[in-house]
Amino acid sequence: MRAQPKASHFIDGEYVEDTAGNVIECVYPATGEVIARLHSATPAIVEKAIASAKAAQKAWAKMSPTARGRILYRASQIIRERNRELCELETLDTGKPIQETIVADSTSGADAMEFFGGVAPAALNGEQIPLGGDWAYTKRVPLGIVLGIGAWNYPQQIACWKAAPALVAGNAFIFKPSEVTPLGALKIAEIMIEAGLPKGLFNVVQGDRDAGPLLVNHPEIAKVSLTGSVPTGRKVAGAAAGQLKHVTMELGGKSPMIVFDDADVESAISGAMLGNFYSAGQVCSNGTRVFVQKGIKDQFLSRLKTRTEAIRMGEPLDEATQMGPLVNRSQREKVLGYIEKGKAEGARLLTGGGIPNDVSSEGCFVQPTVFADVTDDMTIAREEIFGPVMCVLDFDHEDEVIARANASEFGLAGGVFTADMARAHRVVDALEAGTVWINTYNLCPVEIPFGGVKQSGFGRENSLAALNHYTELKTVYVAMGKCEAPY
Ligand code: NAD
């Protein structure tokens, strides 16, 4: 098996196994080949991870932010040096084309390590509050042990986006990758040790849907940061609420992208394709409802069809491949089911809609698919598909499109393409979304906050804002005179 790690879990600086846990089979989605076999965590593994994190956290929190940041910076350098090796593993784990992983996955994790390592010495400062003679000050203190739970679309990036702010703030971090893509996080854990992180501060515990709750419900876990679907978010936030734990919820979306008549049409099509076909459509913030103003509809659809049909699908490890398979068979069946529903409910299939015939029959490929004439009530316009399926809807007026864009339980992201900047900012103000892009889509550099509103979650990743979610404020009141009491 070409990607078999030394053992399933990484705890206290070393690989650990417990074969009593349920078997997790790792399959390369492009061919169906089994590339590794792991075990889900048993209660003994969970206890070991917690004990090691607890033992390491207090000394780590006492180190200066500069010293902690230096270790993260070293980790970012090692990730960049090993980018190809890490991305080949990421491609095997997820099926995403190497053309993408090489620029968007491990390096994005490295960016988070570099950014949080760099800002920590200043960003963790408290404030001094004058009160006349007396005064107060605040300290930003770590929470303790933070649990990160990952989705399967960006395994290494998600691990790093959560670990970097958690660690630099003085917490210990335990990561539970998705059971569908468990491999990359183990390599990141190895690199953290190599960079000088004391053992126990970055533990990886594998787990399926049984093991996840063991971690979430553990009383030593102070905070849970989940990236996953809305139903999982409800379960995890509910369990965490039972013990009043801190939570960050990065959940799903059905984001609108609005293209006005005056937009640069080729640029808007690029945005729509990026926001629907990157990672074979398995991106939470994708702009899956593309609203196109009627004046440019025909031009937009005709060029979109031509450009979509030119996408090169194939073996993900081939650098020329632009789109790979979905992550597994069940995701492919789910996506094909939505395509059938789209047809049955009257959407017009512009292109795609099936399994391509020039790729491995064992792979989980689905053609890049575009539906036109989609209406708001159709299932494909309401539910998150998480596959390469773009819905194009028509609109006439700005007010109308804003109301329709907001008529969703989700609120992760949105986009607006127009040459009129006043209108762009008006639309941005009106959209109910955590992130809105003007004349581009899906760019998420580490400097900017990322997260959702409504059912898409709460809390923010990346940027200085993330540090607020991994620390709490301690307030210290300093009396300069005697303590006076009325009795
Ligand atoms: P999922 O909800 O099925 O699983 C996410 C993780 O939660 C997995 O690690 C899983 O094992 C774990 N889990 C499931 N039930 C649990 C429980 N009861 N207790 C603890 N852990 C539990 O999501 P997925 O299918 O892996 O990923 C796709 C979803 O993730 C999509 O909805 C997508 O939009 C969302 N997503 C969101 C973001 C974001 O930043 N907002 C990013 C990527 C993906």
Side-chain angles (χ1 to χ4, degrees):
M1 282 182 288
R2 62 171 145 161
Q4 182 68 36
K6 284 189 202 134
S8 302
H9 318 283
F10 192 95
I11 298 173
D12 214 37
E14 54 191 40
Y15 278 95
V16 180
E17 191 57 272
D18 183 348
T19 53
N22 298 336
V23 171
I24 296 175
E25 198 150 85
C26 307
V27 174
Y28 182 36
T31 60
E33 173 195 347
V34 175
I35 54 169
R37 224 169 249 124
L38 274 59
H39 294 272
S40 183
T42 55
I45 287 289
V46 169
E47 289 305 330
K48 197 175 168 66
I50 301 266
S52 122
K54 192 175 177 187
Q57 192 262 329
K58 291 243 164 359
W60 175 244
K62 284 201 160 56
M63 282 170 64
S64 73
T66 304
R68 291 197 296 260
R70 196 178 301 130
I71 292 171
L72 266 66
Y73 180 64
R74 254 187 247 134
S76 78
Q77 290 175 306
I78 302 172
I79 293 172
R80 289 193 208 289
E81 281 158 21
R82 304 227 186 117
N83 189 37
R84 174 153 286 273
E85 170 199 336
L86 288 166
C87 292
E88 282 174 3
L89 183 63
E90 195 76 335
T91 287
L92 287 172
D93 215 4
T94 61
K96 297 196 295 180
I98 191 91
Q99 192 189 88
E100 273 185 28
T101 53
I102 212 95
V103 295
D105 286 67
S106 317
T107 51
S108 153
D111 288 350
M113 294 289 171
E114 189 171 348
F115 175 83
F116 286 105
V119 299
L124 291 168
N125 289 350
E127 57 178 348
Q128 191 268 354
I129 304 161
L131 299 168
D134 292 353
W135 57 285
Y137 65 97
T138 58
K139 291 162 74 82
R140 235 168 225 296
V141 295
L143 303 171
I145 306 176
V146 169
L147 170 66
I149 302 180
W152 42 252
N153 56 345
Y154 281 85
Q156 293 177 33
Q157 179 194 84
I158 292 171
C160 292
W161 279 20
K162 295 182 189 307
L167 287 172
V168 91
N171 300 286
F173 182 70
I174 297 177
F175 188 63
K176 191 205 85 61
S178 164
E179 62 274 37
V180 180
T181 54
L183 302 174
L186 293 167
K187 285 284 164 205
I188 301 291
E190 277 181 33
I191 286 171
M192 297 308 293
I193 292 290
E194 195 180 327
L197 188 74
K199 59 189 190 171
L201 293 167
F202 189 126
N203 293 332
V204 177
V205 172
Q206 305 294 351
D208 52 21
R209 279 160 177 73
D210 295 334
L214 283 180
L215 287 156
V216 173
N217 291 320
H218 200 291
E220 293 288 352
I221 297 286
K223 184 209 165 96
V224 185
S225 176
L226 169 79
T227 297
S229 61
V230 173
T232 303
R234 291 198 182 107
K235 280 188 224 153
V236 172
Q243 295 175 39
L244 295 177
K245 294 180 182 192
H246 295 247
V247 284
T248 291
M249 291 283 140
E250 293 291 349
L251 309 177
K254 189 76 193 175
S255 301
M257 182 185 300
I258 302 172
V259 184
F260 286 95
D261 278 348
D262 63 350
D264 176 325
V265 175
E266 287 301 321
S267 173
I269 292 169
S270 297
M273 291 177 75
L274 266 178
N276 279 274
F277 301 141
Y278 211 66
S279 298
Q282 303 161 111
V283 180
C284 52
S285 49
N286 269 355
T288 45
R289 289 183 293 147
V290 181
F291 291 93
V292 178
Q293 204 164 17
K294 282 187 182 147
I296 51 164
K297 176 182 173 181
D298 291 344
Q299 186 193 356
F300 186 94
L301 288 177
S302 138
R303 283 290 298 147
L304 174 63
K305 179 171 157 60
T306 306
R307 288 178 60 181
T308 300
E309 286 170 358
I311 291 176
R312 283 174 75 158
M313 298 197 82
E315 162 55 48
L317 286 167
D318 177 348
E319 298 213 359
T321 293
Q322 295 174 313
M323 204 174 123
L326 292 167
V327 78
N328 60 21
R329 287 203 160 238
S330 78
Q331 189 61 19
R332 184 175 76 172
E333 294 320 307
K334 188 180 148 198
V335 171
L336 290 173
Y338 274 114
I339 291 173
E340 288 314 309
K341 237 178 209 156
K343 290 185 203 161
E345 292 179 11
R348 174 161 63 95
L349 185 64
L350 188 71
T351 184
I355 297 171
N357 46 23
D358 49 354
V359 290
S360 159
S361 58
E362 296 305 310
C364 306
F365 294 88
V366 171
Q367 289 172 315
T369 297
V370 180
F371 279 109
D373 301 334
V374 176
T375 54
D376 298 348
D377 55 331
M378 290 180 186
T379 309
I380 54 170
R382 288 186 288 106
E383 297 182 11
E384 185 184 44
I385 300 174
F386 226 55
V389 182
M390 186 194 305
C391 295
V392 181
L393 305 92
D394 314 334
F395 76 95
D396 290 302
H397 306 295
E398 185 179 317
D399 290 348
E400 166 215 339
V401 77
I402 288 168
R404 289 169 61 198
N406 285 338
S408 166
E409 60 169 346
F410 300 108
L412 188 55
V416 51
F417 281 81
T418 176
D420 177 345
M421 276 303 118
R423 170 157 67 190
H425 292 289
R426 240 182 1 251
V427 173
V428 164
D429 274 353
L431 284 181
E432 296 164 0
T435 303
V436 185
W437 289 276
I438 298 176
N439 291 334
T440 188
Y441 205 82
N442 260 354
L443 301 183
C444 290
V446 67
E447 294 87 349
I448 67 174
F450 183 74
V453 300
K454 294 159 77 177
Q455 295 297 296
S456 293
F458 39 83
R460 290 293 176 269
E461 294 201 294
N462 290 341
S463 78
L464 294 179
L467 288 172
N468 295 335
H469 300 288
Y470 291 98
T471 52
E472 51 197 353
L473 281 182
K474 179 179 277 185
T475 306
V476 184
Y477 186 109
V478 183
M480 299 301 284
K482 283 190 185 303
C483 180
E484 291 177 10
Y487 28 74

